[in-house]
């Protein structure tokens, strides 16, 4: 029997909603999960055994290793200590360290894309004010300035449209190592999710269209509207290169800007991704199930969409559960987190038979969700 024939003990670094949905996919397949997270009651603790300790706690890492046949992670800033301790204990960590290598630093990530022939927006690094001014001159306004490390949900970013915004942006993010990127006047934001098994089988879900507000993902439409075989082929090729270059095992996401017939890579997430949450109800095999299949050595499942669907993130506050569930095709996901502004608390997935029916149902959900997405507002 192969490794994928047995139930596995899965360790998860990080107990947020991604870890929770990984565990929720693992349970029906007979696997058991243990999560390491320093928080008192992280979302994953509802569905997995919880080791409460810092990620570099030696005793907790020994316990995690003893409780796991394989360890995966739900966030990219995994430090060297857990990776080293788990390797010493002989427990495989999947995806492996090579998948994390180029995610630490946005400059390195962009250079990695370029090295693989994946186009990006023009960019220049800067740490001092003089370098910042030189980078602005090189790239040309408008730009998006990002801290090279630790950004998420648009944090550590400043948009500069006109010269008068420059000092403000520097006051906000200056001082840390930065990357200055050309601001892309994209037609649409898209993402592609792929999964690779340990023996190199690669599958892709259909391209998804994403809407962000204030740097946070609000809505994903899957498959994207006006789907295009040319764009699918381009995106599949990009993500295949990334999966193979890092010898990745598990799910990997790539965020893209569409400009006409071209795609530019924004950033990758070498893990399950928010823009793939629709796959739980909307695809034959969800990103979480295929991630679990990949890391446990099982064959991958079909990634086709079952029909058109939309994912709406619930940010800051939750709408009325019963009112959402009264809408046909709507599925409610509550991560069990305490409410705070800008925090992802859950999502709703809406399925329908046709795009028209979907638009009508999405409209009804949007009326219940605060903040709704005001059209044309960033
Ligand atoms: N070069 C750019 N041109 C135009 N828009 C951009 C650019 N870079 C970022 N944005 C906008 O800001 C959003 C967030 O940027 P990015 O994905 O780099 O940040 P993040 O903080 O890592 O977000 P997350 O981790 O939540 O995806 C993008 O999805 C896009 O809407
Ligand atoms: Mg992003």
């Amino acid at each position: 029997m192969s490794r994928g024939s047995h139930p596995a003990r899965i360790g998860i670094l990080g107990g947020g909603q991604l870890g929770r949905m990984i565990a929720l996919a693992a349970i029906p397949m007979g696997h058991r999960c243990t999560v390491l997270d320093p928080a008192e009651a992280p979302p994953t603790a509802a569905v997995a055994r919880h080791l409460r300790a810092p990620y570099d706690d030696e005793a907790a890492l020994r316990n995690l290793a003893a409780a796991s046949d394989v360890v995966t992670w739900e966030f990219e800033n995994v430090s060297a200590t857990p990776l080293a301790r788990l390797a010493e204990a002989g427990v495989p960590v999947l995806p492996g360290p090579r998948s994390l290598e180029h995610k630490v630093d946005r400059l390195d990530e962009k250079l990695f894309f370029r090295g693989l022939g994946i186009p990006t927006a023009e960019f220049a690094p800067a740490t001092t004010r003089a370098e910042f001014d030189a980078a602005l001159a090189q790239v040309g306004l408008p730009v998006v300035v990002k801290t090279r490390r630790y950004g998420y949900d648009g944090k550590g970013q400043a948009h500069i449209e006109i010269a008068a915004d420059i000092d403000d942006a520097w006051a906000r993010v200056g001082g840390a190592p930065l990357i200055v990127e050309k601001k892309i006047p994209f037609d649409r934001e898209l993402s592609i999710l792929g999964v690779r098994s340990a023996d190199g089988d690669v599958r892709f879900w259909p391209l998804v269209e994403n809407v962000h507000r204030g740097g946070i993902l609000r809505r994903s439409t899957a498959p994207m509207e006006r789907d295009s075989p040319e764009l699918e082929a381009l995106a599949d090729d990009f993500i295949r290169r990334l999966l193979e270059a890092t010898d990745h095992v598990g799910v990997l996401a790539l965020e893209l800007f569409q400009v006409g017939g071209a795609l530019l890579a924004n950033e990758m997430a070498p893990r399950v991704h928010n823009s793939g949450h629709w796959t739980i109800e909307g695809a034959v095999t969800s990103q979480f199930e295929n991630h679990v299949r990949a890391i446990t050595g099982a064959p991958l499942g079909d990634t086709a969409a079952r029909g058109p669907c939309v994912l709406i993130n619930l940010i800051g506050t939750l709408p009325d559960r019963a009112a959402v569930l009264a809408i046909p095709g709507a599925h409610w996901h509550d991560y069990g987190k305490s409410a705070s502004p800008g925090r992802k608390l859950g999502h709703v997935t809406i399925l329908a038979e046709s795009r028209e029916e979907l638009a009508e149902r999405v409209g009804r959900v949007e009326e219940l969700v605060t903040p709704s997405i005001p059209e044309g507002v960033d």
Side-chain angles (χ1 to χ4, degrees):
M1 281 198 295
S2 65
R3 194 162 64 88
S5 302
H6 303 281
R9 298 172 308 146
I10 300 173
I12 306 172
L13 294 170
Q17 62 266 21
L18 300 180
R20 176 176 166 117
M21 288 184 274
I22 291 170
L24 280 168
I27 290 167
M29 285 187 273
H31 306 309
R32 278 169 300 152
C33 299
T34 302
V35 62
L36 175 61
D37 189 300
E40 188 183 340
T44 313
V47 291
R49 187 177 150 226
H50 179 205
L51 300 176
R52 184 182 181 194
Y55 295 115
D56 53 4
D57 184 285
E58 301 283 341
L61 288 168
R62 274 196 300 277
N63 287 339
L64 183 68
S68 307
D69 300 314
V70 59
V71 172
T72 191
W73 33 269
E74 62 144 28
F75 60 91
E76 293 109 23
N77 292 314
V78 182
S79 66
T81 310
L83 295 177
R85 293 300 166 272
L86 293 164
E88 283 159 21
V91 179
V93 177
L94 294 172
R98 281 176 60 195
S99 300
L100 290 164
E101 225 169 85
H102 301 286
K103 253 330 277 187
V104 180
D105 181 330
R106 287 187 194 273
L107 176 64
D108 179 38
E109 182 182 12
K110 287 266 190 313
L111 293 169
F112 181 57
F113 289 155
R114 290 276 178 100
L116 291 172
I118 300 172
T120 68
E122 202 188 329
F123 60 89
T127 302
T128 64
R129 178 63 200 245
E131 288 164 352
F132 183 60
D133 290 335
L136 292 174
Q138 182 192 325
V139 173
L141 296 184
V143 298
V144 182
V145 185
K146 304 178 184 177
T147 53
R148 280 168 54 179
R149 288 172 180 249
Y150 306 124
Y152 70 98
D153 285 349
K155 292 186 173 61
Q157 299 192 7
H159 291 228
I160 305 179
E161 305 289 342
I162 52 170
D165 302 338
I166 294 175
D167 288 340
D168 244 26
W170 178 255
R172 281 183 46 211
V173 295
L178 302 171
I179 180 165
V180 174
E181 286 179 24
K182 187 79 184 174
K183 182 166 182 174
I184 302 300
F186 51 77
D187 302 321
R188 298 191 284 184
E189 281 197 82
L190 307 178
S191 61
I192 178 98
L193 273 77
V195 58
R196 183 170 175 272
S197 69
D199 51 14
D201 184 18
V202 169
R203 310 270 175 106
F204 320 103
W205 284 269
L207 266 171
V208 173
E209 178 174 347
N210 300 315
V211 176
H212 293 81
R213 289 290 178 262
I216 305 180
L217 181 69
R218 296 280 164 167
R219 188 204 285 194
S220 297
T221 304
M224 68 176 181
E225 295 197 44
R226 292 172 281 123
D227 54 345
S228 135
E230 292 77 19
L231 291 179
E232 290 282 356
L234 261 181
D236 291 358
D237 178 45
F238 293 169
I239 202 162
R240 182 187 287 279
R241 288 183 210 190
L242 291 168
L243 288 165
E244 289 175 353
T246 53
D247 198 19
H248 190 83
V249 177
V251 169
L252 183 144
L254 179 64
E255 298 179 3
L256 298 157
F257 300 129
Q258 180 194 350
V259 187
L263 293 177
L264 300 176
N266 174 29
E267 59 167 353
M268 65 173 169
R271 53 165 168 77
V272 290
H273 190 254
N274 194 170
S275 71
H277 293 356
W278 65 273
T279 60
I280 295 174
E281 292 91 4
V284 177
T285 314
S286 80
Q287 61 164 341
F288 302 102
E289 178 173 341
N290 260 342
H291 186 74
V292 170
R293 289 187 188 216
I295 65 169
T296 57
L300 301 179
D302 186 353
T303 48
R306 293 181 187 277
C309 82
V310 161
L311 156 86
I312 294 174
N313 267 343
L314 303 176
I315 297 164
T317 57
L318 292 177
D320 184 76
R321 179 182 317 243
V324 169
L325 287 172
I327 298 166
H331 296 268
W332 176 267
H333 293 259
D334 180 341
Y335 307 148
K337 291 158 75 169
S338 55
S340 84
R343 196 165 196 216
K344 290 174 181 169
L345 302 178
H347 71 265
V348 176
T349 305
I350 306 126
L351 307 179
E353 296 293 322
S354 67
R355 296 274 180 195
E356 296 66 40
E357 187 180 55
L358 184 62
E360 186 268 329
R361 292 175 176 180
V362 167
R364 289 172 63 190
V365 174
E366 287 285 10
E367 276 172 26
L368 300 167
V369 175
T370 16
S372 60
I373 304 176
E375 294 307 326
V377 172
D378 226 8

